[in-house]
Amino acid sequence: MNALRNFVRNEDGITAIEYALMAAAIAAAIAAGVVVLGDKLTASLTYISGLVKSS
C-alpha cells in the first residue's frame, strides 16, 4: 500500500510530461512559422544569393 501511495505522490513523471508538452508546442510553433514564412524566406535568400553571385 505504501508503494502505491509513493507512486501517486511522485511528481517526477508529471514534470517530464509537462516538459514534453512544452517542447511539442514550441516545435508546432516553429513549424507553423516556417509554413507561413517559407515562401518569403526562400525569395529573400534567392535574392541575396543573386546579389552575392553578381558581385
Side-chain angles (χ1 to χ4, degrees):
M1 191 67 173
N2 285 335
L4 181 59
R5 284 185 192 154
N6 289 338
F7 178 75
V8 172
R9 290 181 186 163
N10 187 355
E11 295 183 2
D12 291 338
I14 294 172
T15 303
I17 291 171
E18 290 171 349
Y19 283 126
L21 289 173
M22 285 192 306
I26 292 169
I30 291 171
V34 168
V35 168
V36 170
L37 300 175
D39 292 334
K40 292 180 183 179
L41 182 62
T42 300
S44 296
L45 291 176
T46 302
Y47 174 73
I48 292 169
S49 173
L51 290 176
V52 170
K53 286 180 184 177
S54 66
S55 55

